[in-house]
Amino acid sequence: MAPTASDTAAIGIANLPNQRHKIVSRKGANFTIMVVGESGLGKSTFINTLFTTLLREYKKPEQRFAKQLERTVQIDVVRAEIEEKGFNVRLTVIDTPGFGDYVNNEDCWVPIVEFLDEQHQGYMQHESKAHRKSPDDLRVHVCLYFINPSGHNLKPLDIEVMKQLCTRVNLIPVVAKADTLTPADMLAFKERIRDAIATHNIQVYSPPVQSEDEETTRRNTSILSAMPFSVIASESDVVVNGQKVRGRQYLWGVAEVENESHCDFKKLRNLLIRTHMHDLISTTEEHHFENFRINKLTAEGRSDDDPAVRARKNLEQKMREEEEALRKRFTEQVRMEENRFRQWEQKLISERDRLNLDLETQHKQVKALEEELEELIAARRK
C-alpha cells in the first residue's frame, strides 16, 4: 500500500533543497562567456565593467591592428575565479581578436565555429571514456555578439556570423557604445535589428518569461523586450548629484552605465549573472550539446536504434520521471503542510474570538451585578 501523507510527514524530504544548496555552494559553477565583434567596440571594457575587475588587458592603440596583413582570427582564453558570499564561479572569457577587422572578411567566423564544435567534441569524447575525471570544460554558455552602432542596419557579415553561431551557442546581440546614438535613434536601430533577425530566422537566446511569481514574470518580460541590449561600458567613476557612479563624462553631461534610461547594461547583467545564469548553463548542456551529439552520432551511422544510445535515453527518461515524481511529491507535501498550518491558525483565531466573547459576556454580568449591588445598598440606606 502506498504511504499516506501522515506516514511521510517525518521523513525529512523537505531538507532536499538544503542538501542541494550545500552541494552547489561547495562545488561552485563553471561559466564561459564568448565575446565576438570588431575591434574598438568596447568588448574588453564591457567584460571588466560587468565583473568590476580587470579581466582583460587593453591593447595599445599602435598594436590593435598590427596583424592586419596576417588576416587571422585568434582565440584568446582568460580564466578567473570570482567569489561572492562564499560562492565561487570559475569564469572563462573567450575573446576573438582579429574578427571583422579586414577588408575581406570572408570565412572569418570559421575559427570561432571550429572552436565551439571542438569543445562539444572534446566533452563528448570525455563522456565516452571508462574513467571520467573532471574535464577541462570550455563549452561556451553564452556568446555576446557586439554590433557596431551605425544606426542603419545589420551588415551582411553580422547576419552570416549570427546564423552560424545561433545553432551552436546561446546568442545574445549587443549594441555597443550606446552613448553614440540618441534614444530615438537607438530605438529605431533596435527595431531594424529585430526585423533583420526575424527575417533571416536567427535564433537568439530567449529567456523563459512565465513564472509562478508575478514580479519575476514582469522582470523577464522587461529583459526580453530590451533585446538587442544597448550597453555603455566604463571602468571609471563620475560624480552625479554628489554620488559616484560608473559612467562617462562628456561636455553635454554624463552617460551612466547602470541608468536604465541611458542603456540596458543593468538588464543584461541581470540576465547573465543574477537571474538566468543557470538557464544559460542548462540550455547549453541540454540543447546545444545534445544537438551536436545527435548530429555527430547520426553522421557516424549511429541512431536511436543503437543499443547503447537507446539504453542511455531510457535511463535518462526514467531519471527524469523519477525526478518529476519526487518534485510533485515534495510540492504536495509542502502544500499539505501549508494547509495544515492555515487550519491551525484559523482554529487559534476562532478560539481567540470565542474567549474574547466569553470574557465580554462575563464582564457584562459582573457589571450588572455591581449595579444590582449598588441599588440594594441604596435601598437599605433609605
Side-chain angles (χ1 to χ4, degrees):
M1 183 177 65
T4 61
S6 59
D7 297 330
T8 62
I11 287 180
I13 195 173
N15 289 322
L16 182 60
N18 296 332
Q19 298 173 27
R20 183 62 180 169
H21 174 74
K22 291 179 181 179
I23 294 173
V24 173
S25 298
R26 183 174 64 253
K27 294 177 63 176
N30 295 318
F31 192 59
T32 303
I33 298 179
M34 173 179 278
V35 289
V36 180
E38 301 173 8
S39 297
L41 292 182
K43 301 186 296 296
S44 298
T45 307
F46 172 80
I47 291 297
N48 295 337
T49 306
L50 182 65
F51 296 101
T52 63
T53 185
L54 184 61
L55 291 177
R56 288 287 298 161
E57 295 285 350
Y58 299 102
K59 286 187 177 181
K60 296 181 180 179
E62 60 271 15
Q63 296 179 351
R64 185 177 294 274
F65 301 100
K67 296 186 178 181
Q68 180 78 16
L69 297 178
E70 294 184 13
R71 198 175 175 276
T72 57
V73 176
Q74 300 176 349
I75 302 294
D76 286 353
V77 179
V78 178
R79 300 173 186 264
E81 189 163 324
I82 299 178
E83 179 180 353
E84 184 178 75
K85 296 182 179 180
F87 184 79
N88 292 324
V89 173
R90 291 172 292 279
L91 176 68
T92 303
V93 178
I94 300 174
D95 197 2
T96 56
F99 172 82
D101 293 340
Y102 311 104
V103 175
N104 182 5
N105 291 300
E106 184 179 1
D107 295 336
C108 67
W109 59 84
V110 171
I112 302 173
V113 171
E114 289 180 347
F115 177 82
L116 294 172
D117 290 343
E118 286 172 1
Q119 304 316 307
H120 288 311
Q121 178 67 25
Y123 191 84
M124 181 178 170
Q125 291 176 352
H126 176 269
E127 287 290 299
S128 62
K129 292 181 180 179
H131 300 284
R132 298 179 297 177
K133 297 181 180 179
S134 298
D136 186 18
D137 189 4
L138 279 181
R139 290 177 298 172
V140 179
H141 299 123
V142 60
C143 176
L144 303 179
Y145 187 83
F146 283 73
I147 301 171
N148 195 334
S150 63
H152 301 294
N153 209 329
L154 292 176
K155 296 187 294 186
L157 175 63
D158 297 328
I159 295 173
E160 183 60 33
V161 173
M162 287 199 288
K163 287 173 68 175
Q164 295 290 333
L165 295 178
C166 69
T167 58
R168 294 174 168 86
V169 67
N170 295 315
L171 179 66
I172 298 180
V174 175
V175 180
K177 298 185 175 181
D179 48 346
T180 61
L181 294 176
T182 65
D185 290 340
M186 177 59 71
L187 290 176
F189 187 40
K190 284 175 134 185
E191 188 62 32
R192 284 192 287 270
I193 292 175
R194 282 192 285 264
D195 291 342
I197 288 175
T199 300
H200 295 279
N201 195 26
I202 299 173
Q203 303 298 321
V204 298
Y205 173 70
S206 179
V209 176
Q210 297 299 327
S211 173
E212 296 178 358
D213 184 13
E214 294 183 1
E215 180 64 27
T216 303
T217 301
R218 286 195 297 268
R219 180 189 61 205
N220 293 342
T221 304
S222 175
I223 291 175
L224 185 61
S225 64
M227 195 176 294
F229 299 96
S230 58
V231 297
I232 301 171
S234 174
E235 298 179 16
S236 57
D237 295 333
V238 294
V239 179
V240 178
N241 298 326
Q243 295 182 348
K244 284 187 177 181
V245 296
R246 284 289 178 95
R248 292 183 176 271
Q249 181 73 54
Y250 296 98
L251 295 177
W252 47 263
V254 175
E256 299 179 32
V257 171
E258 297 189 7
N259 190 331
E260 295 191 13
S261 62
H262 293 178
C263 69
D264 302 321
F265 175 86
K266 193 173 180 179
K267 292 180 180 179
L268 180 57
R269 182 183 63 188
N270 291 340
L271 172 68
L272 293 175
I273 301 175
R274 299 184 178 180
T275 60
H276 291 84
M277 177 184 285
H278 180 267
D279 185 69
L280 290 167
I281 296 173
S282 61
T283 303
T284 300
E285 296 176 350
E286 299 172 4
H287 178 68
H288 295 292
F289 174 69
E290 282 301 311
N291 286 344
F292 175 84
R293 189 183 66 84
I294 292 172
N295 294 334
K296 193 71 175 178
L297 293 178
T298 304
E300 294 176 356
R302 297 176 62 184
S303 64
D304 291 342
D305 294 333
D306 190 300
V309 176
R310 186 167 60 253
R312 180 177 177 179
K313 287 197 171 184
N314 291 338
L315 179 60
E316 292 176 352
Q317 179 66 22
K318 183 179 179 180
M319 292 180 64
R320 282 195 296 267
E321 292 175 355
E322 292 179 353
E323 182 181 359
E324 182 66 18
L326 185 61
R327 186 188 65 80
K328 290 182 178 178
R329 183 179 175 185
F330 173 73
T331 304
E332 183 64 24
Q333 183 71 19
V334 172
R335 187 181 297 109
M336 293 180 63
E337 290 295 327
E338 290 179 349
N339 292 336
R340 189 169 66 87
F341 176 77
R342 291 194 186 96
Q343 293 174 3
W344 176 71
E345 184 182 22
Q346 188 62 36
K347 184 177 179 181
L348 287 179
I349 293 174
S350 301
E351 184 67 15
R352 183 199 62 188
D353 294 341
R354 186 185 66 78
L355 292 176
N356 288 338
L357 183 60
D358 291 345
L359 182 61
E360 185 178 355
T361 303
Q362 294 292 335
H363 180 71
K364 291 180 179 179
Q365 291 177 358
V366 170
K367 191 70 174 176
L369 290 174
E370 288 178 350
E371 292 176 355
E372 185 178 349
L373 180 60
E374 290 178 357
E375 290 178 357
L376 289 174
I377 294 175
R380 286 183 179 181
R381 288 178 180 176
K382 292 180 179 180

